[in-house]
Amino acid sequence: MKKVLTGAVSIAMAATMLAGCGGSDSNSNTVRVAVGGDINTLDPAKVDASIDANIINNMYDGLYKLDSDGNTIPVLATDMPEISDDGLTYTIKFTEDAKWSDGEPLTADDFIYSWKRGAALGTANAYYSMFITKYISGAIDGSGDPNAFDNMTDFGAVALDDHTIQITLKDRVPFFTSVLVSNAFYPLREDIVGEDPLDDSWAKGTDYPVVGAFVPTKVDYAAGVSLTKNENYYLADEVKLDGIEYTVMTDQDSEVSAFKSGQLDLATSVNPETVYADDELKESIYTIDPFVCNYYILFNCGDENDQSTEGLKALKDVDIRHAISWAINREEVAAASGYGDAAYPLYGYVPSGIPGAHGDFREETGDETKYDLEAAKKIMEDKGYSADNMLTLEYKYNDTAMHKNIAQVLQANLKEIYIDLKCTSTEKSTFFDARDKGDGETFRHAMSADYFDPMTYLEMLYGKDTAGNLTDDATYESMLDAANAESDPTKRLEMLGDAERYLVEDQAYIAPLIGYSDPYLLNTNLKGLVSSPEGHYDLTRAYFE
């Protein structure tokens, strides 16, 4: 899931808000967290960015979550799902103890309503509703149609009783239990949303109940969010904190300064070059390990008819895409990222840390691209390019120090093969909008896992309706379909490896660059923070030593 961030808040404004949350008071039992961009939404159905996800994960419990090793474990569910022999029906029981923060009991109907509403919103409005519309029988991508909710009369998720849910899938989905960790599957009550299921204005307030460890008490998407312990939480005895204060701070160096001055307990968006170079901070560096995040170049090569620029025309040529990938020195990219040992060269799409048939999927599948400058240069020369006849390409990225440094390495590498790479940086929302619409030639891209299976990456380039899918290849899609129809899990993973090789080695629809893990700064007295490989951190059981 997961995207990067923006906004603009001065260190003075941020410090003022932080001071109001307890400042440097060592007796405070509230964790002060800085996030690196505006909050987009706290509506679970619509959350698709890491900042928002990490906030609502403290406000809602789901049926399942990933543990620190990437295993799917029950949360509200009393056990793993009971799955029918044909793999199409999942029966899930959840605890009878859970209730909403206003004291109302949590029922199976709250889950069913939430999922049906997500489908009605559709991927255009709620990106991760794709997990509902793609997999659950009778689910229709409503794309915001006001009648879509009522029209789904055959929705394939039903309540067998108040605490038992039965889900019928359209087709067999071997990784579906892992998908259920998504915030798209969190519960929501109909009376919270109101008469219009497409409305999300309620999520900007604080007068609605939640079903997690903390309730919202102050919400300002541009400045921050305050959470307070939910006294009606069914496991309230396990929650030691009084609250969590999230402050938007878009300047990474300002986050470092605020942390060093004692105004923050957790800084989540910091300049890695600054952090790793500062000896005072070494004891406070926290990295999620493993953090299954890749970083790659996405080529706009899906629409064969779109040859409106020299670059778009050239990118339709698989040989040129190979030349670009082969010309990139990934060791230099890793060094430019500023992540030190937390970054590594990546020669395939799926990063290290995702399980394969017998071990690590990346190790089993092997390298799918290479560094071969001479071969790349020969391709370009055979296409008629030279130092006097350069190919001009535009590369878009959102404006952070890391992305800028990597862009400069790419620019220098590609100049060696007669490509003039024009690097264009914009703020986050503008960049994401352009990339999702395919408004450009090449884009920086990165993603962590939404569930713990290679498909979480591979399906990003499946289907025309997937945001940021600029490939559109029926052969690739059929390879994924065949793999997921395979009942033998070992053979299925091998088939996914073949699909990835087709994507990267044969067609070069992307150019993988590095895998990496973001550094956080964590108060050494704050214990009990738990993280998972997809990049989420959980403060619900944290405490000050």
Side-chain angles (χ1 to χ4, degrees), residues 205-216:
T206 58
D207 57 346
Y208 61 91
V210 294
V211 72
F214 294 91
V215 298

Side-chain angles (χ1 to χ4, degrees), residues 128-357:
Y128 285 108
S129 67
M130 68 177 179
F131 292 149
I132 299 168
T133 57
K134 186 173 181 179
Y135 301 135
I136 296 181
S137 68
I140 301 169
D141 188 326
S143 300
D145 179 351
N147 298 314
F149 185 89
D150 293 328
N151 288 342
M152 278 184 278
T153 55
D154 296 323
F155 192 67
V158 297
L160 298 184
D161 58 43
D162 281 351
H163 298 95
T164 308
I165 301 167
Q166 187 176 84
I167 305 169
T168 302
L169 304 182
K170 296 177 180 179
D171 297 293
R172 185 177 176 276
V173 183
F175 50 87
F176 186 70
T177 302
S178 184
V179 169
L180 288 169
V181 306
S182 170
N183 49 262
F185 290 96
Y186 287 173
L188 191 63
R189 280 195 347 226
E190 186 171 0
D191 63 301
I192 295 173
V193 178
E195 293 184 3
D196 181 3
L198 307 185
D199 178 39
D200 69 347
S201 60
W202 55 271
K204 296 180 180 179
T206 58
D207 57 346
Y208 61 91
V210 294
V211 72
F214 294 91
V215 298
T217 52
K218 180 180 179 182
V219 175
D220 183 335
Y221 285 178
V225 167
S226 300
L227 303 181
T228 302
K229 180 178 177 179
N230 173 14
E231 298 298 340
N232 276 327
Y233 183 49
Y234 79 111
L235 297 174
D237 290 346
E238 298 181 8
V239 180
K240 307 304 180 185
L241 295 174
D242 293 331
I244 308 171
E245 297 284 350
Y246 296 92
T247 301
V248 175
M249 298 181 70
T250 60
D251 185 88
Q252 293 183 321
D253 290 327
S254 294
E255 280 201 31
V256 175
S257 297
F259 182 86
K260 292 179 72 173
S261 65
Q263 299 176 68
L264 292 173
D265 301 302
L266 178 60
T268 64
S269 180
V270 296
N271 186 336
E273 288 183 302
T274 302
V275 168
Y276 286 116
D278 192 330
D279 289 338
E280 294 180 25
L281 295 174
K282 286 187 177 178
E283 294 299 317
S284 300
I285 295 175
Y286 178 91
T287 56
I288 297 174
D289 183 21
F291 180 42
V292 287
C293 189
N294 59 11
Y295 191 107
Y296 59 97
I297 301 173
L298 177 66
F299 299 128
N300 189 351
C301 51
D303 186 352
E304 289 291 335
N305 296 319
D306 186 1
Q307 301 189 11
S308 55
T309 67
E310 178 191 18
L312 287 173
K313 182 178 180 180
L315 289 171
K316 303 301 185 292
D317 188 332
V318 64
D319 292 334
I320 289 180
R321 299 197 298 269
H322 276 129
I324 294 171
S325 187
W326 296 350
I328 296 169
N329 187 325
R330 288 160 178 82
E331 298 282 355
E332 293 181 0
V333 175
S337 72
Y339 283 81
D341 293 340
Y344 60 91
L346 184 61
Y347 295 92
Y349 185 32
V350 177
S352 299
I354 295 293

Side-chain angles (χ1 to χ4, degrees), residues 256-491:
V256 175
S257 297
F259 182 86
K260 292 179 72 173
S261 65
Q263 299 176 68
L264 292 173
D265 301 302
L266 178 60
T268 64
S269 180
V270 296
N271 186 336
E273 288 183 302
T274 302
V275 168
Y276 286 116
D278 192 330
D279 289 338
E280 294 180 25
L281 295 174
K282 286 187 177 178
E283 294 299 317
S284 300
I285 295 175
Y286 178 91
T287 56
I288 297 174
D289 183 21
F291 180 42
V292 287
C293 189
N294 59 11
Y295 191 107
Y296 59 97
I297 301 173
L298 177 66
F299 299 128
N300 189 351
C301 51
D303 186 352
E304 289 291 335
N305 296 319
D306 186 1
Q307 301 189 11
S308 55
T309 67
E310 178 191 18
L312 287 173
K313 182 178 180 180
L315 289 171
K316 303 301 185 292
D317 188 332
V318 64
D319 292 334
I320 289 180
R321 299 197 298 269
H322 276 129
I324 294 171
S325 187
W326 296 350
I328 296 169
N329 187 325
R330 288 160 178 82
E331 298 282 355
E332 293 181 0
V333 175
S337 72
Y339 283 81
D341 293 340
Y344 60 91
L346 184 61
Y347 295 92
Y349 185 32
V350 177
S352 299
I354 295 293
H358 307 288
D360 185 274
F361 182 84
R362 179 74 279 122
E363 293 180 5
E364 290 178 358
T365 307
D367 294 346
E368 294 160 347
T369 189
K370 58 187 177 180
Y371 176 53
D372 192 337
L373 184 60
E374 292 307 311
K377 185 179 292 187
K378 185 176 188 307
I379 288 174
M380 296 301 289
E381 289 172 348
D382 289 346
K383 300 292 180 180
Y385 295 103
S386 66
D388 297 323
N389 181 34
M390 305 275 282
L391 169 63
T392 299
L393 278 179
E394 184 182 33
Y395 177 72
K396 290 186 175 182
Y397 62 95
N398 54 303
D399 191 16
T400 71
M402 171 191 178
H403 301 326
K404 180 179 180 181
N405 291 343
I406 289 177
Q408 289 174 342
V409 170
L410 299 177
Q411 191 175 51
N413 285 171
L414 296 185
K415 187 176 181 180
E416 295 292 318
I417 61 167
Y418 319 120
I419 293 177
D420 180 15
L421 192 68
K422 303 294 186 183
C423 299
T424 302
S425 66
T426 57
E427 55 86 27
K428 178 199 70 171
S429 60
T430 301
F431 166 72
F432 282 142
D433 185 61
R435 190 179 69 190
D436 289 349
K437 292 179 178 177
D439 181 14
E441 296 172 351
T442 67
F443 308 86
R444 80 104 197 148
H445 210 312
M447 65 171 294
S448 60
D450 295 314
Y451 53 91
F452 226 53
D453 186 271
M455 269 296 289
T456 193
Y457 302 94
L458 300 176
E459 74 171 355
M460 284 293 291
L461 300 176
Y462 183 109
K464 294 180 180 179
D465 296 330
T466 304
N469 177 13
L470 307 178
T471 58
D472 190 20
D473 188 313
T475 298
Y476 175 69
E477 294 176 6
S478 66
M479 293 176 78
L480 295 184
D481 289 340
N484 287 322
E486 174 56 55
S487 59
D488 182 334
T490 297
K491 187 174 181 181

Side-chain angles (χ1 to χ4, degrees), residues 76-124:
L76 291 172
T78 57
D79 206 340
M80 302 304 287
E82 178 185 322
I83 306 173
S84 62
D85 291 341
D86 61 8
L88 296 180
T89 304
Y90 286 61
T91 304
I92 302 168
K93 294 183 179 294
F94 63 92
T95 179
E96 297 182 12
D97 298 329
K99 54 187 174 181
W100 293 89
S101 55
D102 62 359
E104 289 292 316
L106 174 69
T107 71
D109 286 336
D110 298 331
F111 287 96
I112 307 306
Y113 170 80
S114 176
W115 305 349
K116 192 173 177 181
R117 172 180 177 261
L121 284 164
T123 53

